[in-house]
Amino acid sequence: ALPICGRSNYRFVVRGNRTIEVGSSSARESAVAFFYQNPPVIWFADGSSLEGNQFAELRNAYPLYEATKIQTLNWAGINLRKESQGPARDQTSVQARVIRELKTKDYKLIFDDDGKGEVADIVAVRIVSDQNAPTSIGVDLYHCKYSHGDAPGRRIEDLYEVCGQTQKSIAWVTSPDKKTDMFTHVLRRESLRRDAGAPSRFEVGDEDQVLMLREMSRLLPVNFKIYIVQPGVSRANASPEQLGLLSVTENYLAETYQLKLGIIASA
């Protein structure tokens, strides 16, 4: 018999002859029981959601995202289908193109965090000052995604995954401690990369810079902004479906933790 857990009107089932558990080595429980106690919320592209069997329809549709707010880059020489630069720092990738652009800005730290367990593909940090005295820390998270076509188009699939990754970023802003933890995460990721004998993840800055920013984050406000980078989207020719999904994502970030969203795409 399949492991089953649920109410009279819905249930969770493990498919196949498998045992699936969640938790730590000292406290584990079946995935079925876990999801029964913590039913996942499934968000749909139009902003409606499903939790258990409770479907919450969006009562008032959000206005479409304003295409004029989309920032553009020149992607000449870039393989739009190649997302990550990797340890070899492939300069034809989407991520490497964005990093080159960011290096022209006033960031004190630019970190390649791409990979499993990432905060974002690129973490960029600036210090905001007033009359030479620091007043806050600005953290910009760039989520890059490859294009599903060789040229920009009106493909909604170009945005589904990256919009989901963007919404997951709220995990790092839920408390002041989490914001400080992000800098510890950066140090840990760099250590793991170095231990593997691979090149540094730092594009601008170093460990000492991160340690300084971590200490500053205990005293100063840390303000996040999240960016979606998708060269497969065209500002001039974005579809209503694409703009609708961007609008849902923008409003979700704003309504949960007052986070701002930026979009970088093709002209």
Side-chain angles (χ1 to χ4, degrees), residues 65-67 69-73 159 163 166 225-230 233 235 246-247 249-250 261-266:
Y65 188 85
E66 296 177 27
K69 295 194 298 185
I70 296 176
Q71 304 173 49
T72 63
L73 283 180
L159 288 174
C163 283
T166 299
K225 184 172 182 177
I226 303 175
Y227 287 86
I228 287 173
V229 181
Q230 175 49 281
V233 171
R235 179 174 67 183
L246 291 176
S247 176
T249 304
E250 179 184 49
L261 176 68
I263 311 296
I264 299 175
S266 296

Side-chain angles (χ1 to χ4, degrees), residues 5-263:
C5 193
R7 304 176 190 277
S8 59
N9 49 10
Y10 75 89
R11 64 182 184 174
F12 295 97
V13 179
V14 175
R15 300 183 63 184
N17 186 23
R18 295 176 293 173
T19 298
I20 302 177
E21 296 180 322
V22 297
S24 63
S25 58
S26 60
R28 303 179 69 86
E29 63 179 317
S30 74
V32 168
F34 174 82
F35 283 118
Y36 174 65
Q37 297 296 332
N38 307 276
V41 179
I42 301 171
W43 292 91
F44 299 97
D46 64 355
S48 57
S49 64
L50 178 67
E51 182 175 1
N53 70 329
Q54 299 298 314
F55 179 72
E57 187 174 1
L58 190 67
R59 293 178 179 268
N60 299 304
Y62 297 120
L64 296 181
Y65 188 85
E66 296 177 27
T68 55
K69 295 194 298 185
I70 296 176
Q71 304 173 49
T72 63
L73 283 180
N74 181 349
W75 300 98
I78 302 302
N79 181 351
L80 303 189
R81 290 180 177 268
K82 184 177 293 183
E83 176 181 318
S84 303
Q85 65 172 0
R89 293 182 172 168
D90 187 336
Q91 294 302 295
T92 68
S93 64
V94 172
Q95 184 189 22
R97 173 66 184 94
V98 176
I99 288 172
R100 289 201 298 275
E101 183 69 20
L102 298 184
K103 285 182 175 180
T104 68
K105 312 297 182 183
D106 62 342
Y107 289 113
K108 299 296 184 183
L109 173 70
I110 299 176
F111 188 77
D112 172 3
D113 196 35
D114 178 51
K116 184 179 180 181
E118 67 185 28
V119 174
D121 294 295
I122 306 167
V123 177
V125 184
R126 60 165 55 92
I127 298 175
V128 180
S129 300
D130 181 15
Q131 296 180 350
N132 297 322
T135 57
S136 65
I137 297 172
V139 178
D140 294 339
L141 305 182
Y142 292 85
H143 292 278
C144 304
K145 187 53 60 181
Y146 66 89
S147 170
H148 283 77
D150 294 327
R154 297 163 64 86
R155 300 173 293 269
I156 187 65
E157 60 266 27
D158 278 337
L159 288 174
Y160 276 133
E161 185 176 356
V162 71
C163 283
Q165 292 171 336
T166 299
Q167 293 179 21
K168 288 168 62 177
S169 295
I170 65 172
W172 294 98
V173 303
T174 53
S175 70
D177 286 344
K178 288 295 293 182
K179 294 178 181 181
T180 296
D181 287 345
M182 189 207 69
F183 294 103
T184 302
H185 164 91
V186 166
L187 292 170
R188 185 183 306 115
R189 296 277 279 183
E190 175 65 7
S191 177
L192 290 172
R193 173 69 72 86
R194 292 285 183 86
D195 289 347
S200 173
R201 288 180 176 272
F202 285 107
E203 296 285 347
V204 170
D206 54 23
E207 287 94 338
D208 288 342
Q209 183 74 63
V210 178
L211 288 169
M212 182 191 73
L213 289 167
R214 185 171 66 176
E215 292 310 305
M216 292 176 65
S217 73
R218 304 181 195 279
L219 304 172
L220 298 175
V222 181
N223 302 314
F224 281 70
K225 184 172 182 177
I226 303 175
Y227 287 86
I228 287 173
V229 181
Q230 175 49 281
V233 171
S234 165
R235 179 174 67 183
N237 198 33
S239 70
E241 291 78 16
Q242 289 175 325
L243 296 176
L245 182 53
L246 291 176
S247 176
V248 168
T249 304
E250 179 184 49
N251 281 278
Y252 175 80
L253 296 178
E255 292 172 2
T256 51
Y257 286 96
Q258 293 79 53
L259 292 171
K260 294 182 179 179
L261 176 68
I263 311 296

